[in-house]
Amino acid sequence: MSDPLTYFQYRNGILSAEELSLEEMASQFGTPLYVYSKEAFKNPFHAITTGLAGLNHLVCFAVKANPNLSILSLLAKEGAGMDLVSSGELKRALRAGTDPQKIVFSGVGKSASEMDEGLAHPLHSFNVESVSELRLLSARSRAAGKKTRVALRFNPDVDPKTHPYISTGLKKNKFGLQRAEILEIARNQKLYPGIEVAGLSIHIGSQILSLSPFSDAFLKTKKMAADVESSLGKPLQFLDIGGGLGVRYRNEKPPTIAKYTALVQKNFGSKSDVRGRYRILLEPGRTIAGNAGVLVSRVLFRKSRKNKDFIIIDAGMNDLIRPALYQSYHEILPVNEDHRKGKSRKCDIVGPVCESSDCFASDRPFSDRVAEGDLVALLSTGAYGMSMASQYNSRTRPAEVLVDGSSYRLIRRRETFEDLIRDEVVR
Ligand SMILES: *Cc1c(COP(=O)(O)O)cnc(C)c1O
């Protein structure tokens, strides 16, 4: 199990990514800067595949968690497939060298042209979330002279007990198909001549911190699969059990990957009631990327109020939106270990963006030694960090660096002002 500091530790008093000092990275590439650890991506991926040994399975990294081409390429080289939610992500996955047969095209709102793009490659399958989508996909697939494998996304109505914005498997959520709709489709498969109903998929939410929602969802999915099979008159080939396993940001105790995969084995493995007869697809994003990156930022100003200080850093909500969007917690550490000593004061650590929600931590105890010009690192920002970054306030997006032991590579250069205005005209 990785925690925020597994791959980012103090070495000789300086917070480092694997063997490289973040101070050195910051002086070379500037701040704000995303720094990733290669090992940190590889380890959870291999923990999943090891835990699922003996079970026919495919781990598809959820591209949206961290779509950088170098990250996708490193995972593809390790054998990962990819889970996509747009044609942009499809292009990225292919550009990064992913085997198309390991690609799953998910997403609640694919356009016809996105479908056509997907259909142009021998993808593993499409996950379909509405009857209208199925009708359109069937027609496009037929027009392309294909019979396309789909999994119907089943909304199992389980509460993942996570933040409402990242819960997706409740009846009230926009995602997936209801039981009755799925059975109706299965009974009338011939209405959709361009597709083959070959599986079911679920994805109940993100940052899930206990096994019981998964357990409930797996049971409901198996029951649903049996019902679909009797309506279809033939067995399903695969079940896509989605992503969602939480990681540690602070003091959460998410189930270990080993416990999670043991639950998958128990439900779907050779000794389970379904005797390993389904290929199992997984779509982890955060589990693989969450603790694989940090955002390094420099303190611009520090100002004192009676009962707290404001520490204004050069990273803003445009660079990392999770705290503003989901009230999420990120550990923030001074890069220089000496700055952890000293007297602790209550601080708001905020960005430069003109929004009150541009706040990374409020009333957080922080050392009075951290001064203007010093570096801090926002931990656990490998997933949904750079991926959700924007140019709000006309801020250029950060650079990204991938560290491998004591070597490193710039995997995305810092955006420039020219990048920002490239598609605009003055008239
Ligand atoms: C976002 C998403 C995932 C990944 O979720 P994590 O919580 O990052 O594991 C997987 N599948 C689908 C369909 C998604 O939308």
Side-chain angles (χ1 to χ4, degrees), residues 49-121:
T49 55
T50 304
L52 295 179
L55 177 66
N56 179 1
H57 72 274
L58 175 62
V59 180
C60 297
F61 177 62
V63 171
K64 72 178 191 282
N66 191 323
N68 184 289
L69 289 174
S70 288
I71 303 301
L72 301 186
S73 151
L74 98 78
L75 288 168
K77 282 195 189 105
E78 298 300 311
M82 301 290 159
D83 170 58
L84 326 164
V85 294
S86 72
S87 60
E89 290 189 353
L90 171 62
K91 291 190 194 81
R92 283 180 178 276
L94 294 170
R95 188 74 68 93
T98 313
D99 176 355
Q101 301 194 26
K102 292 183 176 176
I103 290 178
V104 173
F105 203 149
S106 300
V108 70
K110 306 171 191 77
S111 69
S113 71
E114 287 186 304
M115 290 177 183
D116 290 346
E117 255 188 83
L119 289 165
H121 303 277

Side-chain angles (χ1 to χ4, degrees), residues 391 394 416-426:
Q391 298 157 324
S394 286
T416 63
F417 174 69
E418 290 305 320
D419 294 330
L420 224 62
I421 58 161
R422 198 176 46 210
D423 304 315
E424 296 174 37
V425 290
V426 183

Side-chain angles (χ1 to χ4, degrees), residues 60-65 83-85 104 106-108 127 129 153 166 168 175 201-208 214 240-246 282-290 383-384:
C60 297
F61 177 62
V63 171
K64 72 178 191 282
D83 170 58
L84 326 164
V85 294
V104 173
S106 300
V108 70
N127 286 341
E129 304 208 18
R153 178 158 171 188
I166 49 179
T168 53
F175 299 99
S201 73
I202 56 168
H203 174 67
I204 57 173
S206 199
Q207 185 58 6
I208 297 170
F214 290 114
D240 178 340
I241 59 174
L245 180 63
L282 301 93
E283 303 171 345
R286 192 189 311 271
T287 319
I288 289 176
Y384 308 107

